[in-house]
Amino acid sequence: SLVGWMVGGLGAVVSLASMFFGAISGSSMATVSCIGSIMVPQMQEKGYDLGYSAVFTACAGTIGAVIPPSIPLVVYGVCTGTSVGDLFVGGILPGILIGIGLIISNFLVCKKKGYKGEERKSLRQILKAVWEAKWALFAPVIILGGIYSGIFTPTEASVVAVVYSAVVALLIYREIT
């Protein structure tokens, strides 16, 4: 709803989704496998080249290693005695900049290749989509807010994220039986 109307809109969706999923999982491989399994077939269906779709999704998945709660940052912090919280704070801006850079490069490539966007959504449709996704969008807030406020450690945040996701998937979205 937010960026699908742009030239190469599905690529922008991949970049944004990778940023959000990276903020939940902290893993590049998990981000690529989850977002790729959903978005690469969608991109192919809309006429994107399979090679471009796969490569762009793999590149966007690397955001998972930068945006907190990044598993590599946790491992680095533990091994070197560096504050994991400080590493997380240091990863926010680079992760966002990587996502924006990918959206810009995707736009330029897609403009050259002729990949069009979807129909532009109205403000009402965008707000409705955000409202429907509020429970999923709240997960990064819980994880990062809990870590930065000192309520729980990054390891405890992973447990909170799993429990929160299970409750939302089972009771609210009813996607898991």
Side-chain angles (χ1 to χ4, degrees):
S1 295
L2 291 174
V3 295
W5 56 270
M6 296 171 38
V7 171
L10 287 179
V13 170
V14 167
S15 183
L16 288 174
S18 294
M19 291 168 72
F20 276 102
F21 196 84
I24 294 171
S25 72
S27 167
S28 292
M29 289 189 290
T31 301
V32 170
S33 64
C34 180
I35 301 301
S37 65
I38 297 167
M39 291 305 299
V40 170
Q42 287 289 328
M43 292 173 83
Q44 277 189 281
E45 187 178 299
K46 298 294 182 183
Y48 288 68
D49 177 49
L50 174 61
Y52 178 74
S53 302
V55 167
F56 186 79
T57 303
C59 289
T62 62
I63 296 172
V66 178
I67 288 186
S70 165
I71 294 170
L73 291 180
V74 172
V75 171
Y76 178 83
V78 169
C79 289
T80 63
T82 307
S83 166
V84 175
D86 289 346
L87 290 171
F88 282 1
V89 170
I92 294 172
L93 184 60
I96 291 171
L97 291 175
I98 291 169
I100 292 170
L102 284 169
I103 291 171
I104 292 168
S105 65
N106 172 69
F107 176 83
L108 296 173
V109 169
C110 289
K111 189 167 184 90
K112 183 177 179 181
K113 291 189 174 209
Y115 300 145
K116 303 292 182 204
E118 304 262 322
E119 175 183 313
R120 192 173 196 146
K121 305 287 185 191
S122 69
L123 180 60
R124 183 181 183 99
Q125 291 171 314
I126 292 171
L127 292 174
K128 181 182 179 194
V130 170
W131 182 255
E132 290 173 358
K134 68 183 175 287
W135 297 106
L137 294 174
F138 195 58
V141 174
I142 292 172
I143 295 166
L144 298 176
I147 292 169
Y148 296 139
S149 66
I151 295 171
F152 39 75
T153 67
T155 304
E156 294 166 343
S158 65
V159 174
V160 170
V162 168
V163 171
Y164 175 79
S165 299
V167 168
V168 168
L170 287 167
L171 303 177
I172 296 172
Y173 290 133
R174 297 178 191 240
E175 292 178 342
I176 298 177
T177 59

